[in-house]
Amino acid sequence: MEQYAVETVEMEKIVNKDIILNVPGSKSITNRALLLAVIAGGKSTLTNVLFSDDSRHFMECVKALGFEVDVDEERREVQIAGNALGTLKRGGRIYVGSAGTAARFLTAFLGFAGGEYYLDASQQMKKRPMAPLIESLRGLGVEINCTEKEGYFPFTVKSFGVTKREVTVDIDGSSQFLSALLISCCLVGEDFTVHVKGSHGMAYIDITTRMMEEFGVRVVRRECGGKLSYFVPGGQIYLGREYAVEPDISAACYFYAMAMLLGIRVIVRGVRRDTLQGDIRFLDLLNKMGGTLEETGQGIAFAGPGGGKFRGIKADMGAFSDQALTLAALAPFAATPTTITGIGHIRLQECDRIAAICKELTKLGVCVEELADGVCIYPAEKIHGGIIDTYDDHRVAMAFSLIGLRVPGIVIDNPLCCKKTFENYFDLFGSVCRELNN
């Protein structure tokens, strides 16, 4: 298995240095755009598309279901001839790999569209929850038979279309369950309502509803007596269009965190305050910890405090939990403790990410207290090097690479797991380190 030795940056050499860079397109937006384009009438052209293991699995599934997909990776462009109900093969097998969005979105899509399908996944995805979505689809009249373990991949989906016009879904485990139902429910052709239990990941639901409207389907958010629902009026259809995918804010955050650690200024091209993506809130945390940010014509610029000296913070990261690992990697260098809460659900993602934070930081000599829904991380007087186990989790690999910027001897085991969302992360990360050290 490959390893990546992080190049430590000599901080005395980097006073007043600026770094300007590009990151790939957003995974969340790419995968939503792929399904919206599939359902839409006519051809869609998607630009600045993220090409990664997840998105490639999604595209291969779409092809296997009978849709024409023209891919140009060099130009980061995908063209899809949509018309879901007219083009879809009414049966077959698809393999979603470890792609959670493809797994959830395509399961709901096939349930609404009709036919009989066998859906399989990687060993990692087989451990991730599907039961709330399966339960909701069964309530709509879709037959789902789990062939190994109830509530998990793999399974068969058999449907003649849904038989009801409303459904309830529990999103405490993943907001993708709700997004999946919302995107595909317009296939019913009549008014449809999704009632919501839980409140996890609502920033991602905002992405979903805004993109649905950009493709032509209006969504009405309703709150009554503390209960939340989404109403999609009938008679609406998605329309094929040209759609530019935003830069991935999750990817950008690793480089903004680099600015925090090293006291440099980083601009990520194309990152804007009005982004669809909730991870932009991570910059507000960095600002409170002592950094400064500003809008520029190229994108948001973030400058870390002089000498990489900053304070700890208490933060509920439930709405942007993909950055919990990033903050955890910064926390040992802060002047005061950092407490991260609201992230209990990340135990059920690519790995138990709370356990990973605790184990890997402790391995490096950092004092960590594990909480029911988060962690408390204390400043470390001395952090030593070590091999970071990544658990085949891209976010563990990318986040813990940051520690090596200031601590010699940090080695990332299995860096290729980043192919899930950001396959050239370590190429870009390494080039920035070399630029700073020269």
Side-chain angles (χ1 to χ4, degrees), residues 89-131:
K89 291 180 180 178
R90 300 295 173 172
R93 301 168 66 96
I94 61 173
Y95 178 76
V96 302
S98 297
T101 43
R104 279 71 181 257
F105 289 6
L106 291 173
T107 298
F109 166 62
L110 296 175
F112 277 98
E116 186 170 356
Y117 310 90
Y118 182 77
L119 282 70
D120 202 357
S122 70
Q123 291 301 315
Q124 186 187 67
M125 187 64 218
K126 287 179 181 180
K127 298 175 183 177
R128 298 179 66 183
M130 288 291 295

Side-chain angles (χ1 to χ4, degrees), residues 2-7 19-24 51 255 258 397-398 401 405 412 415-416 418-419 422-436:
E2 291 193 22
Q3 294 182 327
Y4 180 87
V6 179
E7 181 178 347
I19 296 293
I20 303 174
L21 51 84
N22 297 307
V23 296
F51 286 97
F255 296 95
M258 176 186 285
M398 291 186 281
S401 67
L405 295 170
I412 305 299
L416 292 179
C418 292
K419 290 173 63 179
F422 194 167
E423 59 189 13
N424 69 330
Y425 172 78
F426 282 105
D427 292 335
L428 181 57
F429 182 85
S431 69
V432 172
C433 291
R434 290 189 293 274
E435 180 178 348
L436 290 171

